[in-house]
Amino acid sequence: GTGRFGAAQNRQILVAGDGRRPVAAGNLTISLFPASRLTLTNHTAFHHTRMEGDSVYREVNNATAFGNLLEFRFLGIRAISNLTDASVRAAKWATLYGGYHFSARRIRSRESETVGEFSDLRAAEQNNRLHAGLAGLRLNPAKPVRVSLDAEIGRADRPFYPVSEKNYHALGGRFQYKTKTLELAAASRANYNTNSVALAVHSSRARNHSLSGSWTPRDWLSLDAGYSKLHLDTVSGMAFFAAGLVEGQRSYYVSNLHAAHGGVRVAIRSRADLWLGYTRVQDTGDGRPTAAASSRGPDILAFRIAQVFPLSFESPMARFSMRLRGKLRWNAGYQHYRYGEEFFRQQNYRAHTGYTSVLWSF
């Protein structure tokens, strides 16, 4: 036949078959309390998904009367995990915990391919085991102060994807100070991963730092603000075709994302509320002046453009709410949006939005 534009259609695709998808899952948790300050927990989980049947995909070229025949037979994914954790309350203000986690995943598949008179059955199986250990400390030296520290290290023998976790470690900590009118918090976390598989090498480093606070000095006045920085850099092995096969190259990506917000709320005679806020998000990339100003990776503009994505976004806003009577309130607000990209300015935009509404509670 012909297509919608009149071109001859020389290919037919035929799909047929049947199949089933049985799923089995289960879990068991055992908790032991050998002492008043000691808790032991063991959790085991099992999940098995299978897809099996005689599904056939046949593609025929009408011009040559020749085509491929693919027969799907079986795909099974089985996952087993076992987690053992211990928690010790060394003192009223200090708790230590640690654990060992093990998981195993097996993936099996079978399919056959027929080309003309030749047929071949392909069977594949891959197993991946992950061993991870973790430890942590929770401190409460004074009533308003809480401190937590944690660490985790893991090793996998055969990760499924090049970007999956293989040799990784993570470190984190959090501080909190909380009273009736004041709350301050700070947190930091780092996650490093290195993965090497048969066809590629991948490593990533992520570091997140954040600060936040809220203060209510009066019943009619409250303030809150926060700041966070998220850093990410990755490097992966890369092979591509450009006038032939190019190997031994690397793909980079760098992000330095800063986010800040602040707001103030004022209550006016228990009848109206005024809220003012501001948000700003900015990714500085690696600081390069232009997209092409990079010495990393292959000397191809499309690759260098994709290494960073510097942008900025800011949004001031205001909202006013007044109680008319009983449970009826009138609201009005304004918000401004400004989005800007460093290297693709044609996608920048600004917007002014205003709104009003009536709220009835019952």
Side-chain angles (χ1 to χ4, degrees):
T2 58
R4 59 185 181 135
F5 298 113
Q9 299 297 295
N10 294 322
R11 186 176 60 171
Q12 298 184 56
I13 297 176
L14 308 175
V15 180
D18 56 13
R20 62 193 189 101
R21 185 176 182 174
V23 177
N27 62 80
L28 174 65
T29 300
I30 300 176
S31 298
L32 301 176
F33 308 93
S36 60
R37 296 187 176 185
L38 176 62
T39 302
L40 301 176
T41 304
N42 182 269
H43 176 77
T44 302
F46 171 84
H47 186 87
H48 193 192
T49 300
R50 293 174 294 166
M51 292 180 287
E52 52 192 16
D54 296 324
S55 299
V56 179
Y57 175 93
R58 184 176 184 86
E59 184 176 321
V60 180
N61 189 315
N62 295 336
T64 60
F66 184 78
N68 295 339
L69 180 65
L70 299 176
E71 300 179 16
F72 171 78
R73 298 298 185 185
F74 174 81
L75 174 63
I77 302 176
R78 186 195 66 188
I80 302 174
S81 61
N82 183 269
L83 290 68
T84 301
D85 297 292
S87 176
V88 181
R89 189 173 183 181
K92 291 184 177 180
W93 53 272
T95 301
L96 297 86
Y97 67 91
Y100 167 72
H101 297 177
F102 170 78
S103 62
R105 180 179 57 190
R106 184 189 68 184
I107 302 176
R108 295 183 299 159
S109 66
R110 292 196 306 271
E111 67 178 23
S112 63
E113 180 179 5
T114 302
V115 180
E117 299 180 354
F118 300 95
S119 181
D120 182 30
L121 178 64
R122 299 179 179 179
E125 178 175 336
Q126 178 172 333
N127 292 275
N128 176 32
R129 296 176 179 86
L130 172 64
H131 302 265
L134 64 155
L137 176 65
R138 297 189 183 97
L139 302 175
N140 191 196
K143 186 177 180 180
V145 178
R146 292 180 181 271
V147 179
S148 62
L149 304 171
D150 63 88
E152 180 178 353
I153 183 170
R155 295 292 183 265
D157 55 4
R158 188 177 294 176
F160 191 65
Y161 297 109
V163 296
S164 300
E165 291 183 332
K166 185 181 182 183
N167 299 331
Y168 72 90
H169 68 269
L171 302 172
R174 189 176 189 276
F175 169 84
Q176 183 183 28
Y177 178 86
K178 184 177 181 181
T179 64
K180 187 176 180 180
T181 61
L182 178 64
E183 181 176 354
L184 301 174
S188 179
R189 175 162 291 276
N191 194 327
Y192 288 16
N193 176 46
T194 302
N195 187 359
S196 177
V197 294
L199 299 178
V201 177
H202 172 79
S203 66
S204 66
R205 297 183 298 179
R207 295 187 295 271
N208 303 338
H209 313 288
S210 64
L211 297 170
S212 64
S214 62
W215 183 38
T216 309
R218 297 289 186 271
D219 293 340
W220 53 270
L221 176 63
S222 62
L223 303 94
D224 69 273
Y227 167 78
S228 64
K229 178 185 177 182
L230 289 75
H231 169 82
L232 174 67
D233 64 83
T234 65
V235 57
S236 303
M238 184 170 54
F240 57 94
F241 289 90
L245 179 62
V246 179
E247 296 181 288
Q249 296 290 342
R250 296 180 178 181
S251 171
Y252 293 88
Y253 181 75
V254 179
S255 173
N256 284 291
L257 189 65
H258 304 262
H261 72 275
V264 56
R265 175 186 172 274
V266 179
I268 305 173
R269 296 181 178 271
S270 301
R271 186 176 181 86
D273 292 309
L274 175 64
W275 187 82
L276 304 173
Y278 177 79
T279 298
R280 180 176 177 84
V281 179
Q282 183 171 4
D283 192 335
T284 59
D286 58 2
R288 69 179 68 173
T290 63
S294 173
S295 59
R296 301 176 175 179
D299 188 15
I300 298 178
L301 180 60
F303 290 164
R304 295 190 172 184
I305 291 177
Q307 292 175 357
V308 293
F309 192 63
L311 58 85
S312 63
F313 171 80
E314 62 180 352
S315 177
M317 62 197 79
R319 183 175 69 244
F320 179 77
S321 177
M322 183 175 65
R323 182 168 58 88
L324 300 178
R325 55 177 300 177
K327 297 182 178 181
L328 185 66
R329 299 184 71 92
W330 171 69
N331 309 292
Y334 165 80
Q335 187 167 3
H336 172 68
Y337 299 89
R338 190 188 72 83
Y339 174 83
E341 295 181 10
E342 196 70 26
F343 302 147
F344 307 97
R345 300 183 183 276
Q346 65 273 18
Q347 300 186 124
N348 298 350
Y349 71 86
R350 295 184 180 182
H352 301 268
T353 62
Y355 63 90
T356 182
S357 65
V358 176
L359 174 65
W360 176 43
S361 302
F362 59 92

